[in-house]
Amino acid sequence: MLSGIRLGAKQTLAVGFIVIILSGTLLLMLPISNKSGDSIHFLDALFTATSATCVTGLVVFDTWSQFTFFGQLVILILIQTGGLGFMTIAILFSMVLGKRIGLRERSFLMEAVNSMQISGVVRLVKHILIGTLMFEALGAVLLSSRFYGEFGLWESIWFGIFHSVSAFCNAGFDLMGRIEPYTSLVPFQSDILVNLTVMALIVIGGIGFVVWDDLFRNKLDHKNYSLHTKIVLLSTAALIAVSTIIFFMIESEASMKGMDFGERLLASFFQSITPRTAGFNTIDTAALSEAGSLYTMFLMIIGASPGSTAGGIKITTFVIIGLSLITYFRRFEDVNIFNRRLDPSIVRRAYFSATFYLFLMLAGTFIIVSSQNMLIEDALFEASSAIGTVGLTKGVTQGLSEISKLVIIALMYSGRLGSLTVFMAVTEKRCIRKLRNPEDKIIIG
């Protein structure tokens, strides 16, 4: 209940994220959060809290240089809460306290983790929490072992934990300002352990909780995988492989110039994964070729899997739209995949979600370009990164105007919830008309 109004599942998620963001904003404004000992501007704190909660990674300050250990801890908690979803965290506390999980809470959970059915959703959440702890702990150990030679014992442990959580949640926040501000993972560009660990965490966090559960139950028996799992695994693998080849070819004389074959292959592999909402970079994003920038935006728009820590229109939406186009060109009546026919309502939902997503991205780009002197390609890149909750940047976020910051904040928020969820949160009530208008035709194309 909120002021006598009973909120639906999508509205509760939308409001809940706002509450978490505002709480994080107030904490980051405290002098104890900032190394200068002074409070930062509300809008800058709001930008940082939104970026962390919405697991984006766009920053107006270098995280290490600006924030104390307390401030970094606040950011890490926001990342973890935003990555798992606040409803998942709330249910964790309910289970610890022994409280009963009612039907309403289960329906909210189903919405939060994109489960296709309400039965077994609490069990799914338990698997999510255990799996998250295991993967993040393993990632932290591996990264800490590598960072030890650079930063010493306690810093290496903290750096390992921070970057493991940030990678798994696809957040892109880093503490490498300890070496050089705004450098991300460029100092570890050729480090195989750091690269492979971060990439693995990104992919595992990005395939989605429902896929985890399916793999947990069916192990390697791929014949029993759900249609959703088959589409996510196959399309993810194909997109990573193809993108690695593309970046290897087009960036040889640009951002990867001067690298040997092995370094270029590793950088291309990393670059094929990180734009799909992770936000870390091992090459200078501003040095990308025009083709590389355009393809990176393409990957940022696609994103990863529904019900994951990632953003974008989601890879299933991309696949459905592609299949529907093939179906139309071949004059088939149904959209089919893996010997299954997709419900037409799913195809309509995919088109609406992608269209509304692109509308928000272009509208945000227009406002940014209109409000300050910025190249349209830079504005489009930042808007794509924000709504895709990616965090890659051309290095212009530190010079954003107040209006542009508000636009990026709104895009990050919309991207984390999902454009369709934002729309439906505003229009929760569905009007069913008893009478339908007469059918007519118009000319298309």
Side-chain angles (χ1 to χ4, degrees):
M1 299 288 287
L2 183 65
S3 300
I5 300 175
R6 194 171 181 83
L7 300 178
K10 290 181 174 62
Q11 292 171 329
T12 300
L13 291 174
V15 173
F17 268 100
I18 291 175
V19 171
I20 293 169
I21 289 169
L22 291 178
S23 300
T25 299
L26 295 177
L27 289 173
L28 291 176
M29 289 179 67
L30 296 174
I32 193 177
S33 295
N34 297 274
K35 290 184 176 179
S36 64
D38 299 319
S39 296
I40 58 175
H41 191 275
F42 172 78
L43 188 57
D44 291 332
L46 179 64
F47 189 102
T48 305
T50 304
S51 184
T53 307
C54 298
V55 290
T56 305
L58 290 174
V59 295
V60 289
F61 303 116
D62 177 74
T63 306
W64 169 264
S65 304
Q66 177 64 38
F67 296 106
T68 62
F69 174 77
F70 178 80
Q72 294 168 22
L73 182 61
V74 170
I75 290 172
L76 188 66
I77 293 172
L78 291 176
I79 290 171
Q80 188 73 87
T81 304
L84 290 178
F86 78 95
M87 279 302 301
T88 304
I89 303 297
I91 293 301
L92 170 62
F93 283 106
S94 296
M95 289 189 296
V96 170
L97 296 174
K99 292 186 177 181
R100 180 177 176 274
I101 312 299
L103 185 62
R104 181 173 172 79
E105 288 77 14
R106 291 170 190 264
S107 67
F108 286 174
L109 272 180
M110 185 178 72
E111 187 69 42
V113 300
N114 279 73
S115 176
M116 288 178 278
Q117 57 187 20
I118 197 169
S119 62
V121 70
V122 175
R123 175 183 55 80
L124 173 60
V125 169
K126 291 179 181 179
H127 288 169
I128 290 171
L129 295 171
I130 293 172
T132 297
L133 179 61
M134 288 174 56
F135 288 125
E136 289 181 348
L138 179 59
V141 170
L142 292 173
L143 292 175
S144 295
S145 67
R146 174 60 186 87
F147 293 152
Y148 177 72
E150 297 283 339
F151 309 118
L153 179 60
W154 296 113
E155 272 194 1
S156 65
I157 292 174
W158 172 238
F159 275 43
I161 294 171
F162 190 97
H163 292 93
S164 180
V165 173
S166 184
F168 181 82
C169 292
N170 283 211
F173 275 83
D174 68 87
L175 300 178
M176 292 306 162
R178 170 74 164 74
I179 300 174
E180 183 181 345
Y182 305 109
T183 192
S184 191
L185 296 179
V186 173
F188 298 91
Q189 184 180 84
S190 58
D191 192 297
I192 296 177
L193 177 61
V194 172
N195 276 258
L196 292 182
T197 301
V198 171
M199 285 190 287
L201 288 169
I202 292 169
V203 172
I204 293 169
I207 62 174
F209 305 133
V210 174
V211 175
W212 284 17
D213 190 56
D214 201 5
L215 293 175
F216 177 80
R217 286 185 290 105
N218 294 298
K219 305 298 187 293
L220 297 178
D221 187 9
H222 62 87
K223 293 182 179 179
N224 288 325
Y225 291 169
S226 68
L227 179 62
H228 174 81
T229 297
K230 291 178 181 178
I231 292 175
V232 169
L233 293 180
L234 182 61
S235 54
T236 297
L239 198 57
I240 291 174
V242 171
S243 299
T244 299
I245 296 171
I246 290 175
F247 280 119
F248 187 86
M249 294 172 61
I250 65 178
E251 291 301 309
S252 60
E253 296 301 319
S255 60
M256 300 179 194
K257 187 174 182 179
M259 294 183 181
D260 60 33
F261 180 86
E263 290 174 336
R264 205 166 112 206
L265 182 61
L266 186 61
S268 299
F269 192 18
F270 195 96
Q271 191 64 21
S272 71
I273 291 174
T274 193
R276 296 182 51 234
T277 83
F280 291 106
N281 58 284
T282 57
I283 58 175
D284 183 5
T285 307
L288 285 170
S289 65
E290 291 188 359
S293 294
L294 185 62
Y295 190 72
T296 298
M297 283 189 278
F298 169 70
L299 292 178
M300 290 194 292
I301 291 171
I302 293 175
S305 174
S308 70
T309 58
I313 64 171
K314 303 297 187 293
I315 196 165
T316 48
T317 299
F318 173 72
V319 170
I320 289 171
I321 292 175
L323 289 173
S324 68
L325 291 174
I326 294 173
T327 299
Y328 180 81
F329 288 139
R330 299 182 66 180
R331 304 294 182 181
F332 290 164
E333 184 176 350
D334 301 316
V335 177
N336 299 292
I337 184 171
F338 291 116
N339 298 317
R340 291 292 187 270
R341 173 173 53 87
L342 294 181
D343 188 325
S345 66
I346 295 177
V347 179
R348 290 195 300 269
R349 182 184 176 101
Y351 271 101
F352 174 81
S353 178
T355 302
F356 192 58
Y357 180 99
L358 292 174
F359 169 78
L360 291 175
M361 185 185 73
L362 293 175
T365 302
F366 178 79
I367 297 174
I368 292 172
V369 172
S370 302
S371 66
Q372 66 180 104
N373 184 23
M374 184 184 294
L375 294 174
I376 188 170
E377 54 265 36
D378 288 343
L380 184 60
F381 193 95
E382 301 301 312
S384 303
S385 182
I387 196 170
T389 68
V390 180
L392 293 177
T393 177
K394 289 283 191 175
V396 299
T397 51
Q398 291 75 50
L400 292 175
S401 66
E402 291 191 354
I403 294 177
S404 296
K405 287 179 182 178
L406 289 172
V407 170
I408 295 296
I409 288 169
L411 289 175
M412 290 190 292
Y413 175 76
S414 300
R416 178 62 187 97
L417 285 180
S419 58
L420 189 60
T421 300
V422 172
F423 178 82
M424 294 182 72
V426 178
T427 59
E428 183 79 36
K429 292 184 178 179
R430 182 182 177 187
C431 180
I432 302 176
R433 300 179 63 180
K434 295 181 179 180
L435 297 177
R436 301 174 69 185
N437 290 328
E439 187 178 276
D440 209 335
K441 296 180 180 181
I442 61 174
I443 299 173
I444 300 294

